[in-house]
Amino acid sequence: MVNVLINGYGSIGKRVADAVSMQDDMKVVGVTKTKPDFEARLAVEKGYKLFVAIPDKERVKMFEDAGIPVEGTILDIIEDVDIVVDGAPKKIGKQNLENIYKPHKVKAILQGGEKAKDVEDNFNALWSYDRCYGKDYVRVVSCNTTGLCRILYAINSVADIKKARVVLVRRAADPNDDKRGPVNAIVPNPVTVPSHHGPDVVSVVPEFEGKIVTSAVIVPTTLMHQHTLMVEVENNVSRDEVLESIEKTPRIIAVKYEDGFTSTAQIIEYGRDLGRLRYDINELVVWEESVNVVDNEIFLMQAVHQESIVIPENIDCIRAMLQLEEDKFKSIEKTNKAMGIK
Ligand code: NAP
């Protein structure tokens, strides 16, 4: 059992903590918070050892005053861990890397809010597991990039990709976020085309350099992102071959519009009906009817549950970096089985 510390127990961090707890080759030795709020209290009630993320006496006192027991600060546990999964907000992960993880020589996984250039490599289980094997500082790419990497893996398995064009419709905020918008508008974000999402895929799959162009807007929804892909390929491929490859690729599910999956709302309802923890849909979801091939160009639409798609990737990334399993497909299978992923 390797020791994992979750530094930043928010949307991503709490899910990674629960996913680590479901595995038989790793355990959570602690989680951190900066604020003594209900999430901190619940973490303790769940049995996680709680540490204060910012090493300062005043912060520790805030937790004591709120009656939330803490074991100390991050500096009291950092030397005892095999790896840290950083779940801190965008840009703080890099600060933690430079100020805490590197000086203490602890392996660390950063999340998609950080920059590709600030780590040794960029992780997606299907594409870069082998490359990240044994590395010290790796970023699990964002939810959008993870979704694109999975579908491009499925397409790449049956066709040589010439050019992928993607339009991303992004959720405005996570459900727990009462600060961000828009509430009633469609916002080109970024307004420049191409957007940064293409280069982010290239950070995982360098051979896609010059082959992927993305643009993105933000819309008033909290549930999921939606992508429309147009992928030109070099060879003839049939719709059935594409669908079969999607079926075979781990962590992708195809759903039918005619079965009632008429929007992201129904996909989330499916997660609720399955009794998934926090109604998470860790799989990339492709609408079967949207898959079509016209003149060597593949078209499809997919949905990404932003809060949970990267969670199994974090688990496989731990296994790769700590060299717990050489074979990426064995790690993916192990993670999926433990988490109940289809
Ligand atoms: P979040 O919900 O805001 O959670 C951030 C957590 O970090 C909070 O628990 C916060 O603790 C803690 N924190 C604040 N300052 C910290 C520090 N200095 N050191 C350690 N922890 C600190 O954020 P998130 O959505 O989980 O995002 C985390 C990362 O995942 C970002 O890079 C983001 O881009 C990426 N990501 C997010 C999503 C998504 O849809 N949410 C999807 C994929 C990737 P307190 O609450 O106690 O202050």
Side-chain angles (χ1 to χ4, degrees):
M1 293 283 257
V2 295
N3 293 334
V4 184
L5 175 70
I6 315 295
N7 191 25
Y9 190 73
S11 299
I12 300 298
K14 66 175 95 162
R15 287 173 167 83
V16 173
D18 291 345
V20 167
S21 306
M22 292 171 190
Q23 315 299 317
D24 63 11
D25 52 354
M26 54 187 80
K27 67 172 191 289
V28 178
V29 290
V31 304
T32 75
K33 285 275 295 165
T34 72
K35 292 195 298 277
D37 57 10
F38 74 93
E39 288 176 309
R41 199 178 298 279
L42 281 177
V44 174
E45 282 173 19
K46 262 189 153 179
Y48 293 130
K49 286 186 175 165
L50 184 64
F51 295 83
V52 181
I54 297 170
D56 131 349
K57 279 187 192 153
E58 284 304 306
R59 284 274 166 178
V60 176
K61 190 167 178 307
M62 277 164 60
F63 283 78
E64 286 166 357
D65 290 349
I68 299 179
V70 288
E71 310 282 329
T73 76
I74 184 165
L75 298 184
D76 296 312
I77 181 80
I78 193 77
E79 303 279 354
D80 301 331
V81 308
D82 297 301
I83 193 162
V84 181
V85 178
D86 188 287
K90 194 174 174 174
K91 295 186 183 165
I92 308 268
K94 179 182 189 289
Q95 289 173 21
N96 288 339
L97 177 66
E98 300 303 333
N99 300 337
I100 303 177
Y101 313 144
K102 282 186 179 172
H104 288 274
K105 297 190 170 40
V106 175
K107 286 183 186 248
I109 297 176
L110 303 190
Q111 306 301 320
E114 307 306 322
K115 293 204 167 87
K117 65 172 177 56
D118 292 331
V119 286
E120 284 173 276
D121 216 328
N122 295 281
F123 187 84
N124 172 263
L126 291 165
W127 286 103
S128 58
Y129 188 98
D130 299 345
R131 236 171 51 209
C132 295
Y133 201 73
K135 285 197 171 150
D136 292 331
Y137 307 115
V138 173
R139 181 181 72 123
V140 169
V141 290
S142 75
C143 44
N144 281 304
T145 307
T146 298
L148 291 175
C149 286
R150 285 192 197 158
I151 195 66
L152 291 173
Y153 187 92
I155 293 173
N156 192 64
S157 304
V158 284
D160 290 332
I161 295 174
K162 191 172 168 188
K163 189 109 196 171
R165 296 175 179 84
V166 187
V167 178
L168 298 97
V169 179
R170 301 164 60 196
R171 63 90 178 92
D174 286 344
N176 67 351
D177 187 346
D178 55 10
K179 303 273 187 307
R180 288 166 65 180
V183 173
N184 184 24
I186 298 172
V187 183
N189 186 290
V191 70
T192 47
V193 181
S195 70
H196 60 275
H197 302 92
D200 211 38
V201 172
V202 172
S203 77
V204 179
V205 195
E207 57 262 42
F208 285 160
E209 178 76 55
K211 293 186 176 181
I212 174 159
V213 179
T214 54
S215 75
V217 295
I218 297 181
V219 298
T221 178
T222 62
L223 300 179
M224 298 182 93
H225 303 297
Q226 187 272 347
H227 302 162
T228 300
L229 283 88
M230 292 144 271
V231 186
E232 260 188 86
V233 295
E234 303 279 2
N235 49 309
N236 277 321
V237 62
S238 70
R239 177 175 186 268
D240 283 351
E241 285 171 313
V242 176
L243 279 171
E244 204 179 304
S245 186
I246 286 171
E247 197 67 38
K248 276 193 203 148
T249 305
R251 297 183 185 151
I252 309 186
I253 48 173
V255 298
K256 287 189 180 159
Y257 189 93
E258 70 168 33
D259 268 357
F261 291 100
T262 51
S263 75
T264 53
Q266 282 74 36
I267 297 171
I268 293 298
E269 190 63 9
Y270 180 60
R272 287 197 176 114
D273 286 349
L274 286 176
R276 290 275 180 95
L277 189 60
R278 305 185 179 94
Y279 67 70
D280 284 351
I281 309 275
N282 306 99
E283 300 88 344
L284 173 70
V285 182
V286 175
W287 275 281
E288 197 172 309
E289 291 93 334
S290 74
V291 178
N292 201 3
V293 182
V294 183
D295 297 335
N296 281 20
E297 191 163 8
I298 300 166
F299 296 84
L300 64 86
M301 291 188 214
Q302 62 185 27
V304 171
H305 184 225
Q306 75 279 358
E307 296 173 286
S308 69
I309 191 169
V310 300
I311 307 308
E313 306 294 326
N314 273 273
I315 301 301
D316 293 328
C317 191
I318 293 171
R319 260 192 215 109
M321 290 170 70
L322 292 177
Q323 301 176 301
L324 301 179
E325 171 57 66
E326 267 184 53
D327 183 329
K328 68 178 174 193
F329 287 113
K330 284 195 183 150
S331 178
I332 289 171
E333 196 183 335
K334 190 173 169 65
T335 306
N336 287 0
K337 198 168 166 208
M339 292 180 67
I341 294 173
K342 286 176 187 289

